[in-house]
Amino acid sequence: SAVISQKPSRDICQRGTSLTIQCQVDSQVTMMFWYRQQPGQSLTLIATANQGSEATYESGFVIDKFPISRPNLTFSTLTVSNMSPEDSSIYLCSVKMGNEQFFGPGTRLTVL
Amino acid sequence: ELKVEQNPLFLSMQEGKNYTIYCNYSTTSDRLYWYRQDPGKSLESLFVLLSNGAVKQEGRLMASLDTKARLSTLHITAAVHDLSATYFCAVDGRGGEAGTALIFGKGTTLSVSS
């Protein structure tokens, strides 16, 4: 299994600012995933981050808004840029190992 | 476009009763995943179903997979209050390709009362 930690666990931000979320995994993994869970909703995949290459974004998500870094096999960051209240969500980091997909504890973001 | 549909989306049950949550998906994936999420918490893996006909049980929950019908079920037996949570099913994205990110259904919010 994988143990995933995220920082910060929660934050309250002003509109127009940016927040960088960190994700640390206790094992080396090829692919890391970032999801968004809006209030009362399901999980939506934002992007897949492979080490050494640019992230692959899903429809509706763009690099300028959600830049991602993946400097090594155990770490990734997601930045939420130029935030608006619509960005208020839980952001979850996730990895796949074997036949299972594991999730971090999430970062609860509130934008005022 | 890959679709994962769950029903019902909301389920109010009495303690001791049985019920089934259904998950239909549009890809040809042979694998299906069930997760539980408590309010304010992350996702907890319940079951990973890896082949047609797979059945797994843990306590009062039993999950099954029919890949031909593209259907999975999560059966709840003699519900107890502790089972109150949101349950998600998910499949591998990109046509069921292993190693790709999971795509989730909308979730079923279960409330068990006495």
Side-chain angles (χ1 to χ4, degrees):
Chain A
S1 66
V3 176
I4 304 172
S5 60
Q6 287 184 233
K7 289 182 183 179
S9 59
R10 60 178 62 227
D11 207 343
I12 300 173
C13 301
Q14 298 297 319
R15 69 170 66 210
T17 62
S18 298
L19 176 72
T20 295
I21 302 167
Q22 299 179 8
C23 175
Q24 181 76 50
V25 187
D26 69 342
S27 307
Q28 293 186 337
V29 292
T30 303
M31 285 190 286
M32 295 176 76
F33 310 111
W34 287 97
Y35 287 83
R36 180 176 74 182
Q37 186 175 28
Q38 295 176 302
Q41 303 296 315
S42 183
L43 280 77
T44 301
L45 180 65
I46 297 172
T48 299
N50 291 338
Q51 194 267 334
S53 62
E54 285 203 4
T56 302
Y57 290 83
E58 298 298 306
S59 176
F61 297 95
V62 295
I63 187 171
D64 290 345
K65 175 68 175 177
F66 298 100
I68 289 172
S69 78
R70 184 79 202 275
N72 58 53
L73 292 173
T74 64
F75 186 80
S76 178
T77 66
L78 169 75
T79 299
V80 186
S81 303
N82 188 24
M83 289 184 284
S84 67
E86 292 70 36
D87 294 319
S88 297
S89 295
I90 299 172
Y91 292 86
L92 296 114
C93 172
S94 179
V95 301
K96 229 168 191 177
M97 295 182 69
N99 291 320
E100 293 199 62
Q101 188 161 330
F102 302 95
F103 288 84
T107 296
R108 184 179 294 271
L109 171 61
T110 301
V111 184
L112 303 178
Chain B
E1 180 189 348
L2 171 58
K3 291 184 179 179
V4 183
E5 296 182 346
Q6 287 183 238
N7 71 82
L9 298 182
F10 298 95
L11 180 55
S12 181
M13 295 178 66
Q14 281 191 318
E15 281 189 330
K17 299 292 187 182
N18 304 332
Y19 209 84
T20 300
I21 299 170
Y22 298 88
C23 176
N24 289 92
Y25 56 97
S26 62
T27 184
T28 56
S29 176
D30 286 339
R31 309 195 303 183
L32 191 127
Y33 306 74
W34 284 98
Y35 288 87
R36 168 179 172 148
Q37 187 178 39
D38 292 296
K41 304 290 187 182
S42 187
L43 277 76
E44 171 192 357
S45 177
L46 292 175
F47 302 108
V48 180
L49 303 170
L50 298 175
S51 61
N52 185 41
V55 177
K56 289 194 173 181
Q57 183 164 3
E58 181 72 33
R60 300 175 188 273
L61 301 177
M62 183 174 71
S64 65
L65 178 61
D66 180 345
T67 58
K68 290 182 173 57
R70 300 182 185 179
L71 170 68
S72 180
T73 61
L74 180 66
H75 187 72
I76 303 156
T77 301
V80 292
H81 181 72
D82 285 352
L83 291 179
S84 297
T86 299
Y87 294 85
F88 293 97
C89 66
V91 297
D92 293 305
R94 302 193 191 282
E97 181 181 333
T100 56
L102 295 182
I103 304 301
F104 284 80
K106 290 187 175 181
T108 296
T109 298
L110 172 65
S111 176
V112 181
S113 58
S114 55

